[in-house]
Amino acid sequence: MNTALLTHVGRVRQMNEDRAWSGRLSEGLTAVIVADGMGGHRAGDVASGLAVDSLSESLKLWDAAWSEEEGTANVRLMIRKANEAVYETASLNEKYHNMGTTVVLAVLTEQAGWIGHIGDSRAYRLRDGELEQLTEDHTLVNELTKTGQISPEEAAHHPRRNVLTRALGTDRDVPADVRTIDWRPGDRLMLCSDGLSGLVAKPLLEETLKQADVPLDRLAEQLVEMALEAGGDDNITVVLVGDVKAPNAAEGGTA
């Protein structure tokens, strides 16, 4: 499998608080991470950086012999360890008080995968031309939508749509959602921060990712360009996994 990773500060923010990583694990497994930090001063990029550093180091120890259940348990442990790293740093330094970050990660074999997340950075899978959201946002508006208090259309423009109900590092113990997925030839996976998913509608994301002959790095560029054209009012990060090899694609990388 091949990957492409691209992050952009956007048109409004002065600093990019998003971080992302992709890499190869043992036995040819692929792993990818996106984190979107939050907090005053430089706290947001510190939180996302700590989370990605912790998770990428943990993922390098992945055992390809783990069962589905063992993989799920270890994704939870890795996210818990990352949460501790952010929480402890915030607790020891006043300028990082209350910093936190979203996180979404994926580990893929040739037939299956694990998705873990906290917050509203998302994972999507494109299969047979249809885009499916694999994660559920941990946000106030999502809770209001699920309980029928607002409609999905109202949620898209709600003034508090960016309020998280869960973020990594804000509390000593923050539960992560972890699920397994199946993986088939021709599938594509997209991880992104809300700087993309919050500005570009799902049908447009789907149409872009359906371009089967376009290299993954070019698709990533197109997606970022679409978010910028839609206003670019947040940092934008996207990581793609699929079959089409991007020119000069590296074996792993961080942004």
Side-chain angles (χ1 to χ4, degrees):
M1 281 180 280
N2 303 288
T3 63
L5 183 160
L6 187 60
T7 187
H8 194 288
V9 69
R11 297 191 184 279
V12 176
R13 302 293 178 88
Q14 299 300 308
M15 179 183 298
N16 193 343
E17 296 183 320
D18 287 0
R19 293 292 182 271
W21 178 88
S22 66
R24 301 281 192 265
L25 309 182
S26 63
E27 304 297 323
L29 277 67
T30 298
V32 289
I33 309 167
V34 168
D36 178 358
M38 61 184 190
H41 306 293
R42 293 183 55 86
D45 67 317
V46 170
S48 58
L50 286 169
V52 169
D53 288 347
S54 175
L55 287 166
S56 60
E57 288 304 310
S58 294
L59 285 165
K60 291 173 184 176
L61 302 176
W62 189 278
D63 188 339
W66 282 340
S67 66
E68 178 179 311
E69 292 76 15
E70 290 170 327
T72 298
N74 277 283
V75 169
R76 292 191 191 280
L77 286 173
M78 292 172 186
I79 294 176
R80 184 176 301 148
K81 181 179 178 181
N83 185 78
E84 291 172 357
V86 177
Y87 181 79
E88 290 177 3
T89 300
S91 299
L92 295 171
N93 193 322
E94 181 62 30
K95 68 179 180 179
Y96 297 148
H97 180 63
N98 282 337
M99 74 175 176
T101 182
T102 72
V103 68
V104 58
L105 68 88
V107 179
L108 295 172
T109 72
E110 294 295 334
Q111 296 85 31
W114 293 262
I115 306 290
H117 90 288
I118 294 175
D120 63 354
S121 292
R122 295 179 178 178
Y124 294 86
R125 179 181 57 196
L126 183 78
R127 171 173 292 169
D128 299 329
E130 294 188 5
L131 190 65
E132 176 188 3
Q133 184 176 332
L134 302 175
T135 53
E136 181 178 304
D137 294 348
H138 299 142
T139 60
L140 174 63
V141 295
N142 188 47
E143 293 299 321
L144 294 174
T145 303
K146 288 195 299 181
T147 57
Q149 297 180 61
I150 62 174
S151 68
E153 292 74 22
E154 289 172 323
H157 303 286
H158 197 281
R160 302 189 70 191
R161 62 186 178 277
N162 295 323
V163 175
L164 299 178
T165 55
R166 263 188 258 177
L168 186 144
T170 55
D171 295 286
R172 189 175 297 279
D173 186 26
V174 182
D177 289 352
V178 182
R179 62 172 294 184
T180 57
I181 61 169
D182 66 313
W183 188 255
R184 302 177 190 170
D187 285 354
R188 281 181 170 169
L189 184 76
M190 179 178 75
L191 270 57
C192 66
S193 62
D194 68 336
L196 175 63
S197 58
L199 288 178
V200 182
K202 184 179 175 182
L204 293 176
L205 298 175
E206 183 176 272
E207 286 301 314
T208 303
L209 291 170
K210 282 166 62 174
Q211 301 174 85
D213 296 328
V214 178
L216 294 183
D217 63 340
R218 179 55 191 146
L219 289 179
E221 291 172 0
Q222 290 180 14
L223 291 164
V224 169
E225 288 165 4
M226 291 164 67
L228 291 171
E229 290 172 1
D233 60 2
D234 199 354
N235 305 147
I236 308 156
T237 299
V238 59
V239 180
L240 302 177
V241 184
D243 294 329
V244 177
K245 187 172 181 64
N248 303 317
E251 284 299 298
T254 304

